[in-house]
Amino acid sequence: MNAIRLVTEDAADPKNPNRTIRRQRRDDPLRKMLKSGDIDGAHWLAADRFRDKLDLAGGAREVMGSSHQAPWQRCHYAVKQADARQEVRDSLQAVGLLLSPAFNHAVIQYTPIRAMERELGIRNGKGPDAVRMALDKLARWQARNTR
């Protein structure tokens, strides 16, 4: 697995606009693709929904949110987790085997596009096309199969 890449940026404090604060966030190749126009908002939302479901399917939120609840109060979470796991499996199936390596690198592992092209042997400059096609399939599947 790749090391987490963080981006440091200075921005206005939302509570006090006269003050500047420094923030660190995960370096996301999809954010760069969205800014450059390689993907559109529907692709971004589809990837964001997939990442949320992937976190929920892995139980990342269970440790944070429901660890102090009685077992009978957590049973609803187990249903949500099972539903999220099924949606993740169905989403990966919708993306398909051909585009899944590019999808995995960009969406799940946050690998920069150029590094993904080198690792997968994709011709220079064609990485965004592969990611866009995968996200297009994902967005169409989500539009048909989710509420």
Side-chain angles (χ1 to χ4, degrees):
M1 186 106 186
N2 295 337
I4 296 175
R5 294 168 191 80
L6 296 176
V7 174
T8 303
E9 53 188 25
D10 294 329
D13 185 352
K15 296 178 182 175
N16 183 2
N18 295 328
R19 192 176 123 198
T20 302
I21 57 173
R22 178 160 288 178
R23 298 180 182 171
Q24 284 190 328
R25 63 172 171 80
R26 186 176 232 172
D27 188 19
D28 188 353
L30 298 182
R31 183 182 309 271
K32 292 176 184 174
M33 290 178 69
L34 182 65
K35 286 182 179 179
S36 68
D38 288 329
I39 62 173
D40 59 19
H43 295 134
W44 173 263
L45 292 174
D48 192 45
R49 178 182 172 90
F50 176 82
R51 287 172 173 167
D52 287 344
K53 293 297 179 179
L54 188 64
D55 284 346
L56 184 58
R61 293 184 188 153
E62 182 177 18
V63 175
M64 293 169 35
S66 63
S67 61
H68 301 305
Q69 294 177 346
W72 61 86
Q73 293 172 323
R74 289 192 299 251
C75 65
H76 183 65
Y77 182 82
V79 172
K80 287 183 178 181
Q81 188 176 24
D83 290 344
R85 285 179 180 171
Q86 184 62 46
E87 186 172 330
V88 166
R89 281 192 297 270
D90 292 344
S91 297
L92 291 173
Q93 188 175 7
V95 169
L97 290 175
L98 183 64
L99 297 171
S100 63
F103 180 82
N104 181 37
H105 276 276
V107 177
I108 298 172
Q109 295 181 5
Y110 294 86
T111 305
I113 298 300
R114 300 298 170 235
M116 177 194 73
E117 289 174 340
R118 280 192 306 273
E119 288 181 35
L120 298 178
I122 298 174
R123 192 170 53 203
N124 193 20
K126 295 296 181 184
D129 294 337
V131 174
R132 185 184 332 70
M133 288 189 299
L135 290 175
D136 191 43
K137 284 186 167 190
L138 179 65
R140 281 187 279 135
W141 180 86
Q142 285 179 355
R144 283 192 315 264
N145 296 302
T146 57
R147 297 184 261 153

